[in-house]
Amino acid sequence: MSLRPALLPGALTLGALALVVGGALAALLAAAPPGVATGIRDDAYLGRVVAFTFWQAGLSALLAVGLAVPVARALARRSAFPGREALLRLFGLPLVIPVIVAVLGVVAVYGQNGLVNRALAAAGVATGPYLYGLAGILIAHVFFNMPLATRFLLYAWQAVPGESWRLASQFGMSSAQIFRLIEWPVLRQAIPGVAGLVFLLCFTSFAVVLTLGGGPAATIIEVAIYQALRLDFDLARAVTLALLQLALCAAFVAFGQRFAQPAPSAPTERRAVDRPDLDALAGRIADAAVILAATLYVALPLAAVLYRGLTGPVTRVLGDPTLWQAAARSLSVALSAGLIALVLGWCLLMTSRELRLRMYRKRLAEAVEWGGSLVLVVSPIVLGAGLFVLLLPLADVFEVGLGLVVAVNAVMGLPYVVRLLGPPLMRLAEHHDRLCASLGVAGWNRLRLIDWPALRRPAALAFAVAATLAMGDLGAIALFGTRETATLPLLLYRRMGSYRLDEAAVTALFLVMLCLLLFFVVERGMGGRGER
Amino acid sequence: MKRFAAVLAGALVAGLAFSATAAEKPTLTVYTYASFTSDWGPGPAIKQAFEAECDCRLDFVGLDTSAGILNRLRLEGARARADVVLGLDNNTMAEARDSGLLAPHRVDLGRLALPIAWDDDVFVPFDYGWFAFVYDRTRLAKPPASLAELVAGDASEKILIEDPRTSTPGLGLLLWMRKVYGDGAADAWARLKPRILTVTKGWSEAYGMFLDGEAPLVLSYTTSPAYHAIVEKDERFAAALFAEGHYMQVEVAAMTAGAKQPELARRFLAFVVSPGFQNAIPTGNWMYPVTDIPGGLPDAFAALPRPERTLLIAPGVIAAKRKQWIGDWLEAMSR
């Protein structure tokens, strides 16, 4: 195999990731005081924990993606109703608001004293506690991930060429036939990647599982890692568990990848053609019902956050200069992390495109893409502690603290960039590679003339998602510890920790609004108005 | 353009001069938990009071939780950046001492007015409180009067607690149950289990859910009602007093063995038990000060009922047994 330059960016990115993660884990192991190491011994407990972790993450992914399919289909079929853009933007929110805020929002709707229970009580139906336990974990995980999965899947629909719809209408296909012959093949290609991502996210969803899980029977590996690292200071065990988590997820992803069925794509006329099954009344009603249900599901907990914020001490919180300083800090963290994630993701995809389309090494291409995603399940507390130990002799950790937060968040945003940007990038290459080769368009010119105009919308979305995720980050910043450099989520959490729950609610609302604004500005400014 | 250059040069000189004076003053670095050093915690007032008398800079570094402080200390080992750690408690003291990373304080603790005797040579206590179940008087007419009543009580009357693996009050309840029930603690937990609505990661989640009306009782501190009475002028909340007594938390400070400013660190530890520090505790950290403070406690604090019996387990025993007890708890709660 001759060395091709296009393999370099991905190889460098993966190498850097492996170096950072490996270095952090090794540094942590080296720092372990002798004699305390127990490694993994209490197998019965650990076995239960591993089983539960898989169970809840698997169910969450299944439900979130299973529900996202009809929602995305309804949204794809109804491409022009008023409020559609706003709805899609709303769908970007659950994942980026700090977990603790979202959990309290979910509790306000589904809790003991929540909206649903109160409505049922008013209707004379007595209910017991149903939220706390597996149900609560699933409700919250679907709330976080169904909207995201919907947005991902929507891209799959948009990839269906107009010619397919024209054929469908010429053949007079029914809705069911369209699904089977046109939509399912596209979905089959997209679902494993999306479900895998949701699975990884739920695998380490520490705060949700603990708070809504009802008790320690709902314990995931990440909690055991936390216990080993923070409570028992058993670094060897913490690192072992982190590696176990990584290995289990890698195995699962490799397994899931066998179901991915890539469909080759060919150049199309790129003309929008309406699908033929839009006019039937039953279909209209069904689509409206699905969209309405999904909107309610996502909007209600967010409305609870909104309500709490608006009824809180708004002027007192907004008048506090520390809020604005924190907002500025959060924005700069978000934009830097988002940009780095976008660049790294693009690097990975350049290489996987080369491997997939020009060298026909499909498995290797997938490995490159998933390599970036697996960073998601490197336990953040282990990674944080490891990086800390690694940097301790080299730099003043407090001076570079915010830089570390940017780095960790850029890496955490990488999987989203790969998932969002990957499919359109591959499609574009399949459509234009030959043309570019025959015209001799390459390098910078190709990026400027061919790739960027077609990719700026998905790139903007990827950047916006990565940036807003970083904006909502609490894990990394809380871990490294700061002098006076609070970000918005940290400010929010500190208010909660000092009984100021009402002020925290206003801060949460402010953070949500800032995320929305960022999303809007990035999607409009960077994505342009676009054709769709 | 010229004027701009002049302004720039001026700013540069001023900046250099400023950093030079800042560098001349010695800096005392104190690791603490985030809510202590936040704008709503006692940190800012304490910083101001200490800097007024020490001719130094006091730098608080806020870590996520109390457990995070000890963790950070151990990760740094001999490279510790902190001169003082503030926010460990009686339940983590033994492990912190055994790490060998702390040094004796040599502070005169004669002024202490703790409900228990204190003669530790490494740790200086800075506040204390008792764990308790807090309830809303308008929603719960008859709170449990003992731990036994809580354990045996109506399972439809739910309680919110925190996880001992991730939260200080959570560990406090584990030790409380252990102290009262001894080896029968696991059985008591199994009986309590149906009453537990959920076990949260931290205090904030549990307390937030309690205020939203999710459950009538939440594991917090006997001093929590004082916050609502003083800041929100809301008298609805009260702590249920238990006949068996209440488990106590004493929060402590200590200087590190590798402190770069050992003199300043000792001076700060002496300051910890002086009015300049202690005054900020009641309405800053919502705990009891460890000395009498000038002017006495705020009314809402003075009006709080105090437990008749204080329960404690020796730090050494906790360090030796905690892992096993948490294992037992996991077992009992997963049954």
Side-chain angles (χ1 to χ4, degrees):
Chain A
M1 185 163 76
S2 64
L3 197 65
R4 301 174 182 224
L7 296 181
L8 209 58
L12 284 179
T13 305
L14 277 187
L17 283 181
L19 210 63
V20 168
V21 172
L25 293 183
L28 205 53
L29 268 184
V36 219
T38 57
I40 310 177
R41 267 206 316 250
D42 39 358
D43 299 310
Y45 168 63
L46 200 61
R48 271 208 311 270
V49 168
V50 169
F52 182 78
T53 310
F54 264 99
W55 176 233
Q56 65 84 18
L59 275 182
S60 299
L62 201 68
L63 267 179
V65 177
L67 290 170
V69 168
V71 178
R73 182 166 195 254
L75 283 169
R77 278 154 58 106
R78 310 294 153 193
S79 57
F81 63 89
R84 190 174 179 274
E85 284 287 301
L87 185 63
L88 289 182
R89 214 153 268 141
L90 180 79
F91 273 24
L93 277 183
L95 202 69
V96 302
I97 51 181
V99 174
I100 188 169
V101 175
V103 165
L104 288 179
V106 166
V107 166
V109 177
Y110 303 99
Q112 292 286 94
N113 195 29
L115 213 60
V116 172
N117 259 353
R118 271 184 284 171
L120 286 176
V125 186
T127 52
Y130 62 93
L131 181 65
Y132 303 97
L134 188 59
I137 296 173
L138 295 180
I139 287 176
H141 280 166
V142 169
F143 169 73
F144 283 119
N145 297 300
M146 183 272 283
L148 185 83
T150 302
R151 290 205 67 160
F152 280 117
L153 292 180
L154 209 48
Y155 274 103
W157 259 282
Q158 286 170 354
V160 174
E163 287 87 344
S164 295
W165 300 129
R166 202 179 300 146
L167 275 178
S169 84
Q170 279 162 1
F171 288 134
M173 283 188 200
S174 71
S175 226
Q177 284 167 328
I178 288 180
F179 186 76
R180 194 162 53 86
L181 295 170
I182 297 179
E183 295 173 308
W184 180 241
V186 181
L187 276 178
R188 228 188 126 171
Q189 198 185 349
I191 283 179
V194 178
L197 183 60
V198 174
F199 179 86
L200 296 187
L201 283 172
C202 296
F203 208 85
T204 55
S205 171
F206 188 169
V208 168
V209 171
L210 265 194
T211 300
L212 298 177
T219 289
I220 56 176
I221 302 175
E222 188 70 19
V223 180
I225 294 177
Y226 184 100
Q227 187 186 352
L229 181 65
R230 303 301 291 271
L231 202 61
D232 300 335
F233 200 64
D234 188 342
L235 300 181
R237 182 177 160 91
V239 173
T240 314
L241 288 175
L243 287 173
L244 176 76
Q245 175 157 296
L246 195 63
L248 286 174
C249 283
F252 183 84
V253 161
F255 173 73
Q257 219 40 52
R258 299 173 49 155
F259 298 99
Q261 192 65 254
S265 168
T268 97
E269 218 182 323
R270 294 168 63 78
R271 187 190 294 169
V273 178
D274 273 344
R275 46 192 289 165
D277 63 340
L278 290 179
D279 292 333
L281 185 65
R284 281 169 181 251
I285 293 175
D287 285 346
V290 167
I291 292 173
L292 188 70
T295 308
L296 277 180
Y297 189 79
V298 176
L300 279 179
L302 291 173
V305 173
L306 183 75
Y307 175 79
R308 274 213 197 97
L310 287 178
T311 51
V314 178
T315 45
R316 177 155 32 109
V317 173
L318 290 185
D320 184 352
T322 51
L323 181 87
W324 297 94
Q325 289 157 11
R329 216 168 279 126
S330 283
L331 266 179
S332 54
V333 166
L335 293 175
S336 331
L339 191 66
I340 296 174
L342 187 62
V343 171
L344 291 182
W346 202 299
C347 287
L348 279 185
L349 288 170
M350 296 296 273
T351 296
S352 90
R353 177 175 72 180
E354 187 74 10
L355 285 168
R356 189 189 294 272
L357 301 178
R358 294 166 202 160
M359 299 169 69
Y360 305 102
R361 303 285 296 260
K362 182 176 142 276
R363 295 264 172 243
L364 210 55
E366 272 156 12
V368 168
E369 286 168 22
W370 278 108
S373 302
L374 276 174
V375 181
L376 267 188
V377 289
V378 177
S379 159
I381 57 164
V382 166
L383 186 62
L387 279 180
F388 181 82
V389 175
L390 194 65
L391 288 176
L392 202 56
L394 306 175
D396 182 344
V397 180
F398 297 114
E399 301 307 320
V400 298
L402 226 46
L404 278 178
V405 173
V406 168
V408 169
N409 277 295
V411 168
M412 294 291 166
L414 192 54
Y416 299 89
V417 174
V418 170
R419 286 296 138 222
L420 282 169
L421 205 52
L425 192 85
M426 295 306 152
R427 216 155 40 232
L428 197 71
E430 284 178 297
H431 294 183
H432 295 295
D433 261 5
R434 288 203 185 90
L435 186 67
C436 288
S438 68
L439 294 176
V441 180
W444 173 247
N445 276 334
R446 168 156 182 176
L447 183 69
R448 191 169 59 88
L449 295 171
I450 310 285
D451 289 350
W452 180 248
L455 291 176
R456 59 186 288 184
R457 267 175 83 81
L461 179 66
F463 175 63
V465 166
T468 41
L469 265 174
M471 186 124 91
D473 165 78
L474 187 64
I477 184 95
L479 210 66
F480 290 118
T482 50
R483 284 207 173 93
E484 273 127 30
T485 49
T487 57
L488 272 181
L490 200 60
L491 200 63
L492 186 160
Y493 204 75
R494 286 181 180 178
R495 284 194 159 119
M496 285 190 93
S498 312
Y499 289 94
R500 262 74 179 179
L501 285 118
D502 52 345
E503 292 181 8
V506 181
T507 314
L509 179 61
F510 181 75
L511 177 61
V512 170
M513 290 298 162
L514 207 59
C515 283
L516 259 182
L517 186 72
L518 181 72
F519 228 105
F520 183 76
V521 169
V522 169
E523 272 200 299
R524 270 289 155 82
M526 185 174 152
R529 298 222 163 219
E531 66 218 60
R532 271 190 274 254
Chain B
M1 191 61 215
K2 232 180 207 167
R3 189 187 287 171
F4 175 73
V7 168
L8 195 68
L12 255 170
V13 170
L16 282 175
F18 177 77
S19 54
T21 49
E24 271 166 26
K25 276 191 180 181
T27 300
L28 183 74
T29 305
V30 178
Y31 285 179
T32 185
Y33 49 84
S35 60
F36 190 91
T37 173
S38 78
D39 287 352
W40 313 273
I46 287 168
K47 178 177 160 78
Q48 203 182 3
F50 189 63
E51 284 181 347
E53 63 172 64
C54 74
D55 194 34
C56 70
R57 257 189 64 160
L58 173 56
D59 239 351
F60 279 121
V61 174
L63 298 163
D64 55 352
T65 57
S66 167
I69 302 172
L70 180 56
N71 195 251
R72 171 61 57 93
L73 199 64
R74 285 161 141 180
L75 282 180
E76 288 182 336
R79 279 210 176 81
R81 292 285 310 272
D83 302 299
V84 170
V85 289
L86 183 110
L88 304 175
D89 66 11
N90 49 318
N91 301 328
T92 49
M93 255 166 60
E95 277 167 286
R97 184 201 308 273
D98 293 345
S99 72
L101 297 166
L102 301 175
H105 55 69
R106 294 188 223 140
V107 172
D108 173 20
L109 297 178
R111 266 194 286 194
L112 289 185
L114 276 171
I116 54 166
W118 192 274
D119 55 358
D120 198 283
D121 64 339
V122 170
F123 297 101
V124 178
F126 67 86
D127 67 15
Y128 72 95
W130 290 276
F131 297 112
F133 282 88
V134 171
Y135 66 101
D136 177 344
R137 271 193 280 246
T138 61
R139 295 186 55 215
L140 193 66
K142 197 179 160 297
S146 65
L147 203 56
E149 274 187 33
L150 184 84
V151 168
D154 180 3
S156 70
E157 199 177 86
K158 296 293 181 189
I159 64 172
L160 284 161
I161 65 169
E162 297 88 349
D163 197 309
R165 293 170 293 178
T166 52
S167 141
T168 303
L171 184 61
L173 180 61
L174 184 95
L175 299 172
W176 192 358
M177 293 281 278
R178 198 20 88 161
K179 183 73 184 175
V180 171
Y181 289 100
D183 287 338
D187 288 331
W189 274 109
R191 273 181 288 145
L192 181 61
K193 193 185 158 203
R195 269 196 97 160
I196 299 170
L197 185 65
T198 195
V199 184
T200 65
K201 179 177 177 225
W203 175 89
S204 301
E205 288 94 339
Y207 209 77
M209 285 160 77
F210 163 71
L211 290 182
D212 285 343
E214 276 299 284
L217 287 157
V218 64
L219 175 62
S220 187
Y221 294 87
T222 57
T223 42
S224 298
Y227 169 81
H228 299 285
I230 292 173
V231 177
E232 297 173 346
K233 312 277 178 265
D234 187 344
E235 306 279 346
R236 274 182 303 160
F237 299 96
L241 279 203
F242 285 177
E244 297 93 340
H246 286 243
Y247 197 84
M248 182 193 254
Q249 184 191 17
V250 183
E251 294 195 281
V252 297
M255 65 177 279
T256 58
K260 300 204 173 43
Q261 303 283 348
E263 287 316 308
L264 215 48
R266 290 214 164 83
R267 198 164 158 193
F268 181 75
L269 289 179
F271 175 76
V272 161
V273 289
S274 76
F277 187 106
Q278 292 295 313
N279 278 342
I281 289 299
T283 55
N285 223 24
W286 303 99
M287 297 282 272
Y288 287 106
V290 292
T291 65
D292 295 324
I293 54 176
L297 284 170
D299 290 345
F301 259 89
L304 289 174
R306 283 169 170 253
E308 283 179 16
R309 287 188 60 200
T310 290
L311 307 179
L312 276 173
I313 297 179
V317 177
I318 299 174
K321 293 284 194 173
R322 192 196 58 223
K323 212 168 171 179
Q324 184 198 329
W325 288 346
I326 287 182
D328 294 348
W329 176 80
L330 286 170
E331 195 55 47
M333 291 289 289
S334 306
R335 262 183 227 166

